């Protein structure tokens, strides 16, 4: 097992002619929870899309478990054990709650997470399992999205802005459940605008600012001033 | 350098040169009855009419986003109106042609109201259904020959001009005039405010709508005007052919497939495209037509390859390579002391 | 009595039209693609059936065993080789490419088989009939209608009770996120087209037994399928069956009034429904 589960080297990302990421360097150690913070438009979601293969990457920019995955298709990346809880939930409207969870298991990886395990974690989903997924409340949809990612039994799970659009109490509940979710052996990247929450669950934090890494630090030792500077790009 | 030193213009050196060249070509073409043979004049007349049809289809599909595979409805309608108005209504052929345009406009209104309820590819097939309705409908009219069609009576043909040579020149000039009229009308329309609205709709319908452009009304207007002119061209086509039948009048191959190929190969969404496409199409036809079905297969393959590899057509390739625009439409910013704009 | 007979015949004809439409509906549902060459593919299937039956002497219905998988394979290759490249936001490429494909198919068939009308020989099946009360029903039309029922039921079941159907719905909802689930969308689209053309093969064989066909009739079949889909409403396969039946009845009743009005009546009923119920009678998606 290499000493990083994810290694990002000199990553650029483009939307057409527009460059969104500039030479990003980042790594995730096995078993750790990494936080990615930054303002809107800083490139956090672009980073997630690059990692999962939804955006094109140059060679050797992204290594997963030591192997170059930069040019793989998104479905191939998913097969390797990378799952994402996408920004805005993005459940499938034509599928029921249960079907959304089932399709998460499409990659066919074995592990502790199956339908029963997800229902134990989020009992309300069992009550609503045959409902159309998008008819649920925001918080419940977030549970489905998380469950859907877990069903893939990933080694690395990405959470993209899971607190967006949710009531504070729901956010609190979800973050309280995170340690149960990110169990033994799983690594996680948490993209967050809520800095406090992000720091509270992570061991290390990166800050992105206008497409560049502006800060890397241990979560428990980083100061407010460092974060403000890195977040807003003020020197 | 201040901002006052910059100027904005529509024209360019290339546009000015081509305007002069175009005028020379036009004069040469007008004089064709004096230097061209009968067969050549017939060919050129056919070319002009196809150019007109292609420019109109391009206006609808390339600018208004209304992709129709049913324009043969109006070609045939115009043809039948020519026959009906001259044979049954006693009108002079030229008056009948003009009236065919007006009637085409009138009938396109209820048609548009119906098929505008469909979008995208479903709209396209809807236009085809309309064409089929027209075809089946006209096949029922025995006064116009029913299913087997009819020929234009000699008396009416002679009312154009008594000598055959004069008639052929007249047919030729009408076709040339129609092509010039259509291309000019399309050009002027696209230069106008309505044309700008249309281009906006083509580029981003949602954004255009939020700017207050009445999308439905603009598309509706384009559909009606295009159909009216297409009807007129149809009347001209069948004046040249002297014979009409439902299958010939409403043929998908002749009036839609070929037109679409012309526009796709030439360059959709540009004025220059249909001109180039028509020339290429006729060049291909003159060289390959003996091959019959193979020729059509070749056309189909070329169209598919163009759509996938060069979706902007031949003119699109030229334009992206050389940044040319012969019909000045876009605005350019001219920086001071520079020849070409930004 | 004659009118009742016309309505019954029209209903049974609707089964064939529903088969024409089912493939069209499926493809639009999964990938928002309308295949203008769809009618020509139905005709292609009929010609494949003709070739198989002429070469081997087997009954056309038995030929289904060969033609259905062949068309399915053609569908997969067609989608992955050509049509996948046309998908995107612009509506021009799929429309114009499938239009070009239609021209190629028609003329290719003309080259190979000539314009002579052909028909497959199904023997006694073609004329067999049975009595139901005062009515006489042909076995072939009834069989066609039953096949349509089974096919549509099968498609619905596939869509809502299998993982493939789940994949279809997910990819049609959100291509990007579906990929995150390990779904290769190019492969899924290929499978969808394969399934659609397999259904189209059934429609083609049944058409070829029922009436004579030639390379030029593809456009007409596309239009019938399209009208059935629009009358019934988008996104609803049972609605498509209803649409087919309405179209079939309109045609047979129209033919009773005047034989020359058969097809025109169908178009007119279509236009009337388009005027008063633009989204069809049982829509799930807006047109």
């Amino acid at each position: 097992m290499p000493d990083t589960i994810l290694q990002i080297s000199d990553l650029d990302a483009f939307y057409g002619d527009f460059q969104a990421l500039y030479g990003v360097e980042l790594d995730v150690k096995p078993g750790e929870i990494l936080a990615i913070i930054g303002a809107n438009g800083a490139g956090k979601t672009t980073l997630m899309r690059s990692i999962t293969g939804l955006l094109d990457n140059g060679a050797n920019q992204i290594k997963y478990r030591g192997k170059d995955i930069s040019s793989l298709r998104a479905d191939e990346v998913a097969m390797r054990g990378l799952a994402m809880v996408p920004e805005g939930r993005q459940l499938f409207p034509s599928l029921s709650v249960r079907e959304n969870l089932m399709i998460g298991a499409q990659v066919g990886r074995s592990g502790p997470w199956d339908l029963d395990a997800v229902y134990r974690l989020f009992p309300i989903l069992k009550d609503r399992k045959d409902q159309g997924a998008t008819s649920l409340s925001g918080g419940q949809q977030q549970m489905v999205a998380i469950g859907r990612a877990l069903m893939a039994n990933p080694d690395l799970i990405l959470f993209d802005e899971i607190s967006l659009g949710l009531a504070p109490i729901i956010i609190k509940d979800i973050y309280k459940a995170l340690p149960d979710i990110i169990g033994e052996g799983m690594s996680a990247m948490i993209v967050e605008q809520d800095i406090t929450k992000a720091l509270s669950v992570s061991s290390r934090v990166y800050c992105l600012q206008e497409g560049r890494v502006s800060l890397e630090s241990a979560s428990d030792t980083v100061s407010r001033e460092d974060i403000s500077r890195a977040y807003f790009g003020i020197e | 350098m201040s901002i006052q030193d910059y100027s904005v213009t529509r024209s360019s050196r290339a546009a000015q040169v081509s305007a002069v060249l175009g005028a020379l070509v036009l004069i040469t073409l007008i004089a064709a009855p004096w230097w061209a043979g009968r067969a050549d004049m017939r060919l050129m007349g056919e070319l002009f009419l196809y150019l007109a049809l292609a420019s109109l289809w391009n206006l609808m599909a390339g600018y208004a986003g209304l992709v129709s595979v049913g324009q043969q409805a109006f070609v045939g309608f115009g043809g039948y109106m020519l026959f009906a108005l001259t044979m049954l209504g006693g009108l002079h052929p030229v008056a009948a042609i003009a009236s065919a345009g007006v009637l085409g406009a009138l009938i396109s209104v209820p048609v548009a109201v119906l098929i505008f309820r469909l979008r995208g590819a479903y709209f396209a097939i809807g236009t085809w259904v309309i064409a089929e309705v027209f075809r089946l409908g006209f096949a029922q009219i025995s006064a116009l020959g029913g299913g087997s069609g009819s020929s234009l009576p000699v008396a009416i043909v002679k009312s154009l001009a008594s000598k055959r040579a004069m008639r052929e020149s007249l047919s030729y000039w009408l076709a040339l005039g129609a092509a010039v009229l259509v291309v000019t009308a399309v050009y002027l329309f696209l230069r106008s405010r309505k044309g700008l609205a249309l281009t906006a709709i083509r580029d981003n319908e949602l954004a255009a709508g939020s700017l207050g452009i009445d999308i439905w009304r603009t598309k509706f207007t384009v559909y009606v005007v295009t159909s009216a002119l297409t009807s007129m061209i149809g009347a001209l086509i069948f004046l040249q052919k002297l014979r009409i039948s439902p299958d010939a009048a409403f043929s998908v191959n002749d009036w839609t497939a070929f037109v679409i190929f012309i526009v796709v190969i030439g360059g959709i969404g540009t004025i220059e495209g249909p001109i180039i496409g028509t020339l290429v199409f006729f060049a291909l036809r003159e060289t390959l037509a003996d091959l019959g079905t193979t020729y059509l297969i070749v056309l189909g393959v070329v169209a598919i390859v163009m759509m996938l590899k060069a979706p902007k057509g031949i003119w699109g390739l030229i334009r992206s390579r050389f940044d040319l625009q012969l019909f000045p439409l876009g605005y350019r910013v001219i920086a001071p002391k520079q020849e070409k704009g930004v | 009595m004659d009118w009742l007979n016309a309505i019954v015949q029209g209903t049974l004809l609707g089964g064939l039209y529903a088969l024409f439409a089912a493939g069209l509906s499926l493809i639009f549902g999964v990938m928002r693609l309308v295949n203008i060459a769809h009618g020509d593919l139905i005709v292609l299937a009929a010609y494949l059936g003709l070739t198989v039956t002429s070469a081997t002497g087997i009954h056309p219905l038995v030929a289904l065993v060969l033609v259905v998988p062949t068309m399915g394979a053609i569908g997969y290759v067609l989608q992955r080789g050509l049509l996948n490249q046309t998908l995107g936001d612009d509506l021009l490429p799929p429309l114009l490419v499938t239009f070009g494909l239609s021209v190629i198919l028609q003329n290719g068939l003309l080259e190979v088989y000539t314009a002579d009308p052909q028909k497959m020989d199904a023997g006694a099946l073609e004329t067999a009939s049975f009595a139901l009360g005062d009515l006489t029903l042909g076995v072939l039309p009834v069989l066609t209608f039953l096949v349509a029922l089974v096919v549509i039921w099968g498609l619905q079941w596939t869509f809502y009770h299998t993982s493939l159907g789940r994949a279809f719905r997910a990819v049609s909802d959100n291509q990007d996120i579906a990929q995150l689930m390990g779904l290769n969308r190019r492969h899924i689209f290929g499978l969808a087209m394969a399934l659609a053309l397999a259904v189209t093969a059934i429609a083609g064989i049944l058409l070829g037994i029922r009436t004579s066909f030639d390379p030029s009739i593809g456009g007409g079949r596309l239009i019938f399928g399209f009208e059935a889909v629009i009358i019934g409403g988008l996104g609803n396969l049972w609605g498509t069956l209803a649409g087919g039946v309405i179209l079939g009845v309109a045609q047979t009743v129209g033919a009773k009034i005047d034989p020359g009005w058969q097809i025109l009546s169908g178009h007119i009923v279509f236009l009337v429904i388009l005027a008063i119920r633009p989204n069809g009678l049982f829509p799930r998606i807006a047109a």
Side-chain angles (χ1 to χ4, degrees), chain B residues 129-146:
Chain B
V129 175
I130 298 289
E132 283 297 290
V133 172
F134 278 31
R135 180 177 69 86
L136 292 166
F138 276 103
Q140 298 290 324
I141 303 177
S142 43
L144 291 171

Side-chain angles (χ1 to χ4, degrees), chain B residues 75-234:
Chain B
V75 172
F77 178 80
Y80 267 104
M81 284 303 103
L82 169 76
F83 276 60
L85 291 171
T86 53
M87 281 165 48
L88 309 173
L91 251 64
H92 185 273
V94 176
I97 292 171
S99 311
V102 173
L103 291 169
L106 286 176
I107 199 157
S108 72
V109 171
V111 166
V113 167
L114 270 178
I115 59 173
F116 272 33
R117 295 166 183 286
L118 299 167
R119 321 220 69 212
Y122 285 116
F123 169 82
I125 305 180
T127 62
W128 196 348
V129 175
I130 298 289
E132 283 297 290
V133 172
F134 278 31
R135 180 177 69 86
L136 292 166
F138 276 103
Q140 298 290 324
I141 303 177
S142 43
L144 291 171
S148 38
S150 56
S151 303
L152 204 58
V154 177
I156 294 176
V157 177
K158 285 210 189 249
S159 70
L160 255 187
S162 47
K163 291 238 177 54
R164 190 192 62 191
M166 195 59 217
R167 276 200 301 276
E168 290 180 350
S169 302
L170 200 57
S171 271
Y172 170 84
W173 282 322
L174 282 172
L176 174 60
V180 170
L181 171 72
V182 166
V183 174
T184 311
V186 169
Y187 170 57
L188 289 177
F189 175 73
L190 289 172
R191 266 183 88 108
S192 72
R193 284 185 64 152
K194 274 217 156 30
L196 192 60
L198 202 59
T199 315
I201 293 173
R202 175 191 68 176
D203 288 341
N204 190 330
E205 203 168 298
L206 190 58
S210 67
L211 287 173
I213 294 175
D214 190 335
I215 297 188
W216 198 93
R217 189 113 157 258
T218 311
K219 288 187 175 185
F220 188 84
T221 313
V222 171
Y223 187 82
V224 170
V225 171
T226 306
S227 304
L229 290 170
T230 304
S231 302
M232 250 179 53
I233 305 292

Side-chain angles (χ1 to χ4, degrees), chain C residues 159-176:
Chain C
F159 253 75
Y160 293 103
H161 292 100
T162 65
S163 63
L164 178 64
R166 206 165 48 218
F168 282 158
R169 282 179 289 142
V171 167
S172 123
D173 275 346
N174 191 329
Q175 281 184 39
D176 277 353

